[in-house]
Amino acid sequence: GWIGTSKPVTSNGFSGYVEPNATSCQQWEQPHHLFFHLGNLSLLLGLVLPTTLGLHMILLRLFLMTGCSLFITWATLYRCNLDVLVWNVIFLLVNFMHFFFLLYKRRPIKIDRELQLVYKRLFKPLHVKEALFQRLTGQFCTIQTLKKGQAYAVEDKTSVDERLSILLKGKMKVSYRGHFLHNIYSNSFIDSPEFRSTEMHRGEKFQVTIMAEENCKFLCWSRERLTYFLESDTFLNEVFRYLVGKDITNKLYSLNDPKLSDKAVKKMDRQPSLCSQLSMMQMRNSMASTSDTDDILNQILRGGSTGKCNDNIEGDS
């Protein structure tokens, strides 16, 4: 039978009438305001941006911020819904912080005026970013000066383990036992042969004297801290290996032609060959470790080292 008029009762006492599900859609509401749809469209545009774009992350945050702003407007003026408003304000603040941080990372880096030419000449062609160059030169690097006639290194006295330097301004002369070997010009490493040849052998001394021919200014790294820094950055480590090897090659050409001008040295853009590096290391290090140092010096001054290298190359080819 029926009890009242609302619910049928079965024989076991349970009601046979089921109320409609309160969460089911009995009647669809009208579409939301245009601000709601523009907000979702902004989110969609941000999500479909290709990651290959250079400004991908900045544009993504910008679209997300725009979408949140539109949702806030919609919730405030048309929906009057506090929880929607609060959540989108939070999302807006978070995206704004990310957006500001991304802009900060892309800010123009101002390189010290004294280092701009070194950066443009040596590091920028190898795609070293300004921020990375600033890290390289800002923490454990100093700019030092030498007056004309002062020595950067004295043979058999100055340790090669302390520093690595690039000449910024001026000219230096390299000699061995009073014999002139070659000049060092601006934007060149001062002690690249020693840096390369003593990577595995510490505690050695310079086998040449390096003297300032003019008032000089140079960029000087602590060798120990530089080595530690390069070990943590594979890209920059490869850049240094290339630059040091190339500098050794240029010095080798200068050695075989002591009258080589600064302009001619700057035009050299060859990758260092093993033969070139061995010849240079022989000139500035190995000749001190043999009893026939004078013979080796004379041979190098006559261009004998390069001649041997050329013979080896021709023989290999």
Side-chain angles (χ1 to χ4, degrees):
W2 292 87
I3 299 178
T5 59
S6 59
K7 297 181 181 179
V9 180
T10 59
S11 59
N12 56 8
F14 289 100
S15 172
Y17 178 76
V18 180
E19 294 184 355
N21 188 355
T23 61
S24 64
C25 297
Q26 298 300 313
Q27 184 177 358
W28 291 91
E29 295 183 1
Q30 295 296 321
H32 288 298
H33 192 271
L34 178 63
F35 280 115
F36 176 82
H37 300 289
L38 290 178
N40 282 286
L41 179 62
S42 180
L43 299 182
L44 176 64
L45 292 176
L47 294 174
V48 299
L49 281 174
T51 57
T52 54
L53 286 177
L55 299 176
H56 166 259
M57 290 305 298
I58 291 180
L59 293 175
L60 171 61
R61 295 297 174 180
L62 188 60
F63 277 116
L64 292 178
M65 290 168 56
T66 303
C68 291
S69 300
L70 290 169
F71 283 132
I72 291 172
T73 304
W74 168 71
T76 304
L77 300 180
Y78 301 99
R79 191 66 179 177
C80 300
N81 196 315
L82 183 61
D83 53 352
V84 175
L85 172 65
V86 171
W87 276 113
N88 279 279
V89 168
I90 294 174
F91 294 149
L92 178 63
L93 293 176
V94 171
N95 281 287
F96 177 78
M97 288 188 292
H98 278 280
F99 179 74
F100 181 79
F101 177 70
L102 291 171
L103 290 180
Y104 176 78
K105 287 176 61 177
R106 296 183 68 88
R107 74 193 187 282
I109 303 297
K110 187 176 181 180
I111 299 175
D112 192 296
R113 185 171 56 86
E114 296 177 317
L115 303 179
Q116 287 179 358
L117 189 57
V118 170
Y119 172 72
K120 292 179 180 178
R121 185 69 57 80
L122 300 180
F123 292 91
K124 188 175 181 179
L126 300 178
H127 307 290
V128 177
K129 300 296 183 182
E130 291 91 340
L132 183 57
F133 180 76
Q134 192 177 54
R135 285 180 56 203
L136 176 66
T137 58
Q139 299 180 358
F140 44 89
C141 186
T142 58
I143 296 178
Q144 302 181 15
T145 59
L146 281 179
K147 294 184 178 180
K148 181 179 180 179
Q150 290 184 323
Y152 174 85
V154 179
E155 56 189 278
D156 298 326
K157 293 184 179 181
T158 306
S159 173
V160 301
D161 295 339
E162 297 177 357
R163 55 187 176 176
L164 175 68
S165 304
I166 296 179
L167 185 60
L168 301 176
K169 182 180 179 182
K171 183 175 71 172
M172 291 184 174
K173 178 182 71 173
V174 181
S175 61
Y176 173 73
R177 295 188 181 180
H179 296 278
F180 170 76
L181 296 179
H182 62 89
N183 289 318
I184 300 176
Y185 299 96
S186 58
N187 302 314
S188 300
F189 285 91
I190 299 175
D191 41 7
S192 54
E194 288 76 16
F195 180 78
R196 174 61 61 85
S197 62
T198 59
E199 284 181 334
M200 303 300 295
H201 305 282
R202 298 299 179 89
E204 297 188 10
K205 305 294 183 181
F206 274 87
Q207 302 304 319
V208 295
T209 296
I210 304 177
M211 191 78 64
E213 284 277 272
E214 304 171 356
N215 292 335
C216 296
K217 185 177 292 187
F218 59 92
L219 184 66
C220 182
W221 284 279
S222 164
R223 176 166 178 166
E224 182 179 356
R225 298 184 66 180
L226 175 63
T227 302
Y228 179 78
F229 179 77
L230 294 180
E231 288 176 352
S232 65
D233 194 308
T234 305
F235 169 70
L236 203 55
N237 187 36
E238 292 301 318
V239 167
F240 255 83
R241 289 181 63 85
Y242 170 82
L243 290 175
V244 169
K246 177 183 174 183
D247 187 80
I248 292 174
T249 303
N250 291 344
K251 284 180 171 55
L252 178 66
Y253 279 94
S254 300
L255 177 67
N256 292 318
D257 188 1
K259 297 180 181 180
L260 197 63
S261 65
D262 185 18
K263 292 183 179 180
V265 172
K266 291 176 181 177
K267 289 181 180 179
M268 293 180 182
D269 193 18
R270 307 184 183 184
Q271 292 192 9
S273 64
L274 176 62
C275 183
S276 300
Q277 295 183 34
L278 289 175
S279 300
M280 198 63 198
M281 286 188 286
Q282 180 187 28
M283 182 274 292
R284 283 173 62 164
N285 291 283
S286 299
M287 58 187 179
S289 62
T290 178
S291 59
D292 298 328
T293 54
D294 292 330
D295 293 338
I296 293 176
L297 173 62
N298 293 330
Q299 183 182 24
I300 292 175
L301 292 175
R302 292 195 305 267
S305 297
T306 303
K308 286 184 177 182
C309 289
N310 291 336
D311 292 340
N312 291 338
I313 293 173
E314 291 175 359
D316 293 338
S317 59

